[in-house]
Amino acid sequence: MADKREKMDETQLEAILRHEIDDAIGSDDSELSKRRALAIQYIEGDADIIDHEKGWSSVVSTDVADAIGWILPSLMRTFASSDNLGEVLPLSPKDEEGAQQASDYINAKFWGECEGYRVLYNGITEGLSFGNGLVKVWWEDEERDEVFEYTNMSDEAYVYLVSQDNVEVLEHEEYQMLDEMGAPTTTHEVKIRVTEKYGCLKVESLPPEEFLINKDAKTTDDARFVAHKFSRSRGDLIADGYDKDAIMGLGTSQQIEDADEYLARH
């Protein structure tokens, strides 16, 4: 018999997500955050790590930073010494050309637009420093606006232009005149805004304090819940389409900025 599942409403979904977020934040804000803050102090050779007796030397060894600096170049050479970081494998001989083109495209995107070298460097450095090197990959839909001006447009051209869904008329003037044969004709002068939607690949290395995972998970593959928490301004949220009145009614949050490792990092 088929498994019949009831559709979850927004209130139920919100309650589940709130529980998972609070549970993950509670786990991360305890020992993990303090350990990562301490790691930053060790890397920086912070003399305040140890309580020095009066008259004793306050020199602190930078062994941790030295070890990271020694290992990092070898790991970077392993991943970044070739432009071919990833490869798409063909399923059959006839797919070989398409697979090669896909491989070239992916590598060009990663190393170029996504600043792959910087992402790898930051991710590996975070992994050596804190035990977790986190890299987030996602597809982002964006919009781009351009303004154009046209003069001496015919009726047909004008009607076709402004009928496009992504065209907004900003200014418009209509002129009556005679053509070469002496017949009356209409021309248009128009200024428009064209909004083009496009998608792009995004790759970014995340600081550990911005990553959430359910506390009993061993890896991200078997995790029940993972999330990226980060600060956004009210203006950004409204631009993303959230209700303005609801956003303006929200309080401010310093949750990320108050984390032990964030304070140590900055």
Side-chain angles (χ1 to χ4, degrees):
M1 186 174 179
D3 181 20
K4 293 183 179 180
R5 300 185 180 183
E6 294 183 5
K7 184 178 179 181
M8 186 182 299
D9 61 32
E10 290 188 5
T11 302
Q12 292 172 307
L13 178 60
E14 182 181 351
I16 292 173
L17 290 176
R18 173 50 55 195
H19 170 75
E20 294 288 0
I21 291 171
D22 290 343
D23 194 45
I25 289 177
S27 173
D28 189 73
D29 280 349
S30 56
E31 275 311 304
L32 287 176
S33 183
K34 292 181 175 61
R35 285 169 58 186
R36 292 195 293 258
L38 183 61
I40 294 175
Q41 290 180 285
Y42 274 110
I43 292 169
E44 294 180 346
D46 191 344
D48 293 335
I49 297 174
I50 303 172
D51 293 329
H52 301 283
E53 295 287 342
K54 186 177 180 180
W56 286 26
S57 171
S58 61
V59 173
V60 176
S61 172
T62 58
D63 287 359
V64 175
D66 294 341
I68 292 173
W70 176 71
I71 298 171
L72 183 59
S74 297
L75 291 176
M76 286 301 297
R77 279 194 296 272
T78 299
F79 292 100
S81 60
S82 169
D83 290 337
N84 188 30
L85 180 72
E87 183 179 1
V88 177
L89 298 177
L91 298 178
S92 65
K94 66 179 182 180
D95 298 327
E96 290 181 359
E97 183 178 353
Q100 184 59 52
Q101 291 178 352
S103 298
D104 294 341
Y105 175 80
I106 291 171
N107 284 287
K109 279 283 187 180
F110 178 76
W111 293 116
E113 290 184 20
C114 298
E115 301 181 28
Y117 190 91
R118 178 184 60 82
V119 171
L120 283 178
Y121 183 91
N122 290 341
I124 293 173
T125 302
E126 297 278 332
L128 293 173
S129 303
F130 308 114
N132 284 332
L134 305 163
V135 175
K136 178 182 177 181
V137 182
W138 74 102
W139 185 265
E140 186 166 293
D141 293 317
E142 297 184 357
E143 292 185 350
R144 180 181 297 154
D145 291 340
E146 289 189 78
V147 175
F148 300 93
E149 295 185 25
Y150 298 95
T151 59
N152 295 324
M153 293 190 71
S154 65
D155 271 334
E156 294 80 3
Y158 172 75
V159 170
Y160 174 77
L161 178 68
V162 300
S163 66
Q164 306 301 307
D165 292 336
N166 61 337
V167 171
E168 177 188 358
V169 177
L170 302 177
E171 298 176 10
H172 175 232
E173 293 289 343
E174 185 176 303
Y175 300 96
Q176 302 293 329
M177 55 193 307
L178 300 177
D179 62 16
E180 296 178 353
M181 305 298 294
T185 184
T186 302
T187 62
H188 301 267
E189 184 175 303
V190 62
K191 181 178 182 180
I192 62 171
R193 178 187 291 119
V194 179
T195 302
E196 294 289 349
K197 294 183 179 180
Y198 68 101
C200 54
L201 176 68
K202 298 285 188 178
V203 184
E204 189 60 64
S205 174
L206 304 184
E209 64 265 24
E210 292 188 6
F211 179 70
L212 297 179
I213 187 170
N214 57 286
K215 61 184 179 182
D216 54 341
K218 294 181 175 62
T219 68
T220 53
D221 290 334
D222 63 19
R224 180 181 66 251
F225 171 82
V226 293
H228 177 201
K229 63 171 182 176
F230 55 98
S231 298
R232 298 291 303 277
S233 69
R234 287 189 173 92
D236 289 337
L237 293 173
I238 293 171
D240 285 343
Y242 291 96
D243 181 74
K244 181 178 180 180
D245 293 336
I247 295 301
M248 297 307 294
L250 294 175
T252 58
S253 174
Q254 295 294 117
Q255 195 173 75
I256 295 176
E257 290 80 358
D258 290 340
D260 291 325
E261 69 266 41
Y262 181 92
L263 296 173
R265 189 192 304 273
H266 295 277

